[in-house]
Amino acid sequence: MCDICVMNRVKDRMLSRRQFFKGSAAAAAGAGAMGLAKPEQAFAQAPRTVHDMTHELSEEFPTFGGVPGITYDKQFDMAEDGYNLYVLTVNEHTGTHIDAPLHFSEDGASVAEIPVENLACPLCVIDIRARASEDRDTQVTPDDLTSWIAEHGDIPDGACVAMNSGWDAKADGVGFRNADADGVMHFPGFHVEAADFLLREREVVGIAVDTLSLDYGPSADFATHYAWLPTNRWGLECVAGLSALPASGATIIV
């Protein structure tokens, strides 16, 4: 998401992936800093199928701000130089992407600081496709979460809870942003009360949506972003392919 948010300061110190992996197997076996799933919980059995949950990024992919999220500047050409090389300019919140805690907090974790064990998670899919087909502004609510729990059991610790609204099918057209005459977008998202439910009731490390924002399209205050990300949890936006996955039992690798 969001062209509306420009970070006020750069983190003084970033934890590199190389430094993290030097932390030994003990770090991988223990609980991380953000509230969490042990790695073995995510890999209780070998995966039988693998699904790509990303959209291919291009200059045509819809963005929250309505302008292209990536541009290409070709520096070297195969015919002339013997290889191809582009310089890319990318809005970091374009296409299928992660919202790190830093996105909506002064001192939240950057992407590099998210413990890697929090990026391999049991996946819980909340299916609101039927409702979203009738109401473009529908939201995941606590009732949706309690209904899922009643049918599938408790949400696992360290899980990612994903909204499947079927919106990913609209990604090749204007229906993805779904802006009205006043420029207000209309698409589903997580209600802040659902985020609060997950914060109070479950050790969930991430939420995911198949739309442009964790908040629903007409949101003017980004209540879900502000409730969720400053707790050092992450979000995924513009996720694809949730309809091919079971409601429970899958593992997501971010």
Side-chain angles (χ1 to χ4, degrees):
M1 189 214 123
C2 312
D3 288 18
I4 57 95
C5 188
V6 177
M7 297 310 168
N8 294 324
R9 61 187 179 87
V10 176
K11 299 287 285 182
D12 293 329
R13 193 170 59 140
M14 302 292 276
L15 177 66
S16 72
R17 288 297 186 206
R18 179 174 298 178
Q19 180 183 3
F20 185 89
F21 283 116
K22 286 181 180 177
S24 83
M34 288 167 56
L36 4 192
K38 296 179 181 179
E40 59 267 25
Q41 288 179 304
F43 299 103
Q45 59 183 5
R48 287 169 289 183
T49 57
V50 178
H51 292 274
D52 182 2
M53 297 174 64
T54 64
H55 292 282
E56 183 176 350
L57 185 56
S58 71
E59 292 171 301
E60 289 74 40
F61 193 88
T63 64
F64 191 87
V67 297
I70 184 170
T71 59
Y72 310 84
D73 181 12
K74 194 169 189 178
Q75 301 288 301
F76 296 92
D77 180 77
M78 189 70 184
E80 295 181 6
D81 306 300
Y83 63 98
N84 294 313
L85 185 146
Y86 291 82
V87 171
L88 307 180
T89 302
V90 184
N91 179 320
E92 62 178 337
H93 293 278
T94 300
T96 306
H97 66 274
I98 189 168
D99 277 9
L102 179 60
H103 184 36
F104 267 75
S105 57
E106 284 288 338
D107 57 358
S110 66
V111 171
E113 293 170 322
I114 298 173
V116 291
E117 61 264 38
N118 282 16
L119 298 174
C121 315
L123 180 65
C124 305
V125 181
I126 312 298
D127 191 340
I128 63 166
R129 285 178 292 177
R131 203 163 74 230
S133 68
E134 302 292 333
D135 178 8
R136 59 188 183 170
D137 293 331
T138 194
Q139 301 177 72
V140 174
T141 67
D143 287 344
D144 293 314
L145 300 175
T146 55
S147 294
W148 189 98
I149 292 167
E151 183 174 356
H152 303 286
D154 285 342
I155 296 172
D157 286 349
C160 172
V161 176
M163 175 192 78
N164 179 16
S165 68
W167 220 254
D168 58 334
K170 302 175 183 287
D172 60 351
V174 295
F176 199 64
R177 296 184 78 249
N178 203 26
D180 61 24
D182 295 321
V184 177
M185 291 178 287
H186 296 275
F187 50 75
F190 270 83
H191 196 285
V192 66
E193 291 178 359
D196 288 339
F197 176 92
L198 294 174
L199 291 172
R200 291 193 315 269
E201 305 291 335
R202 300 290 182 269
E203 291 294 327
V204 173
V205 297
I207 57 177
V209 295
D210 52 3
T211 58
L212 280 165
S213 175
L214 304 179
D215 287 274
Y216 79 141
S219 173
D221 59 4
F222 302 102
T224 297
H225 278 82
Y226 280 113
W228 187 257
L229 296 178
T231 67
N232 260 347
R233 291 167 169 85
W234 47 261
L236 298 178
E237 294 169 338
C238 301
V239 170
L242 285 167
S243 297
L245 301 175
S248 65
T251 295
I252 184 171
I253 300 173
V254 183

